[in-house]
Amino acid sequence: MYHRFGDATSGAVNADVLDAQIASIARHFVPMTLGELLAYLRAGEQPPAHTLVLTVDDGHRDFLEVACPVLRHYEVPATLFVATGFIDGELWLWPDQVTWLLAQCPERPGRVRIGGTSLELGTNAWQTIIDHVLTLPDADRRQAPTELANELGCSLPLKPPVGYRPISWDELRTLQSDGIEIGGHTHTHPSLARVPVERLPEEIDYCRERLDTELGHRPRPFCYPNGQPGDVTPAVRSAVSEAGFTGAVVAYADAAKHHDPYQLRRHSSSHDMFQFYKASTGLEWLGRQRRRWVE
């Protein structure tokens, strides 16, 4: 599981490290898209030994500019999950807004009030704010970046600044024709468990509709925003299935096997090569299995 690439974004994987990681995947594994893996699982067949699926969330331009040349060089496929409202230019992702605001306003108060709660901004202000916003109802989540901007005395741009911009639909069409699988990641990137059930089609069905309209109708997988256990309720899972997505991934790994095609586990890659090797080789999964056996 990847999110951002390059040198400009905190936590991103830069081109040199990514090159080493993708070279390792090409040398030691059988890389395929998530859709290809889902086809094996649905047929009740075992995928080839050492199968690995590389996924990327959100749809930022740095996937196109940094990751795609490396993937193309090593002929490694990937599945890219996009938030369609982000691609449409209707919004920029709310975690990016928090990141940008904190970077623009280093002289910030010790406390801010968001969603009716006063938050103390300690050494990791970003995580404190993100964790709190994820607990809010979706309507309050939408207002949270504006509230933070007001608290910090900063002006929040309507459009994402350089470094936070999305890929375009034309570019996605080209990527798809080059073998990159494009999946859904909702329309506005909410935590779906915080969205009223009657509004789930606005996030899930409409995401699928935009993908089909712009990129053509074909089987597509889905990725739950935030993707933690509490983000995937039975109603959310059912809505994703009923929208026609072929399967879905979460954003955590535990000792579970891939029994449910709508809750497939993922292991995080990172700029840290140790974490990459631990995740890609299965050592992380084995460690979690061993802890479960001990417990």
Side-chain angles (χ1 to χ4, degrees):
M1 174 175 60
Y2 291 88
H3 284 83
R4 301 298 306 272
F5 304 94
D7 296 308
T9 306
S10 176
V13 180
N14 71 30
D16 290 340
V17 171
L18 183 66
D19 188 279
Q21 293 179 358
I22 303 305
S24 173
I25 290 172
R27 185 179 307 117
H28 300 296
F29 299 94
V30 179
M32 63 177 62
T33 65
L34 181 59
E36 290 171 321
L37 176 62
L38 283 165
Y40 279 101
L41 299 180
R42 290 192 175 281
E45 298 176 1
Q46 190 74 15
H50 311 302
T51 289
L52 183 146
V53 174
L54 189 156
T55 65
V56 182
D57 293 6
D58 300 332
H60 291 94
R61 291 198 62 77
D62 53 39
F63 174 74
L64 176 71
E65 297 166 348
V66 179
C68 282
V70 180
L71 294 171
R72 191 176 300 116
H73 175 75
Y74 290 102
E75 299 182 337
V76 170
T79 298
L80 173 66
F81 299 106
V82 300
T84 49
F86 183 40
I87 309 302
D88 281 338
E90 296 177 10
L91 53 96
W92 52 307
L93 301 182
W94 70 266
D96 287 349
Q97 292 177 323
V98 173
T99 302
W100 186 87
L101 284 167
L102 291 176
Q104 296 301 307
C105 307
E107 300 292 327
R108 49 183 175 259
R111 303 188 75 88
V112 296
R113 191 170 187 82
I114 300 174
T117 300
S118 178
L119 303 176
E120 182 176 356
L121 301 185
T123 56
N124 194 343
W126 183 88
Q127 195 65 58
T128 298
I129 294 167
I130 294 294
D131 287 346
H132 173 64
V133 174
L134 285 169
T135 70
L136 298 176
D138 189 56
D140 294 338
R141 185 271 306 175
R142 292 170 183 257
Q143 293 300 317
T146 300
E147 290 185 74
L148 178 61
N150 292 336
E151 290 284 300
L152 297 178
C154 291
S155 179
L156 188 64
L158 291 177
K159 299 293 184 181
V162 174
Y164 298 93
R165 293 175 181 168
I167 296 173
S168 71
W169 286 114
D170 282 342
E171 290 162 338
L172 286 173
R173 280 187 277 273
T174 299
L175 291 178
Q176 183 173 262
S177 66
D178 289 342
I180 299 296
E181 179 179 51
I182 312 299
H185 198 33
T186 72
H187 191 64
T188 72
H189 201 272
S191 170
L192 289 169
R194 301 290 173 178
V195 175
V197 173
E198 63 272 15
R199 279 199 52 246
L200 288 176
E202 296 176 27
E203 290 293 343
I204 300 169
D205 294 67
Y206 188 59
C207 171
R208 178 63 198 250
E209 180 183 325
R210 291 295 298 128
L211 291 168
D212 288 350
T213 298
E214 296 290 344
L215 304 177
H217 184 79
R218 60 175 64 190
R220 297 187 188 281
F222 186 83
C223 173
Y224 304 101
N226 195 48
Q228 297 305 302
D231 296 304
V232 189
T233 64
V236 167
R237 185 200 177 283
S238 294
V240 171
S241 174
E242 290 167 7
F245 289 103
T246 55
V249 292
V250 297
Y252 65 92
D254 54 19
K257 294 185 178 180
H258 296 311
H259 295 303
D260 183 353
Y262 286 92
Q263 295 188 73
L264 299 177
R265 272 51 169 175
R266 288 189 296 172
H267 294 260
S268 295
S269 190
S270 79
H271 194 75
D272 178 8
M273 288 299 292
F274 176 73
Q275 172 59 28
F276 166 77
Y277 287 127
K278 185 172 68 170
S280 63
T281 61
L283 185 61
E284 186 169 65
W285 184 81
L286 286 172
R288 294 179 187 278
Q289 282 278 45
R290 183 181 183 279
R291 284 194 292 275
R292 188 177 70 171
W293 295 332
V294 169
E295 293 169 359

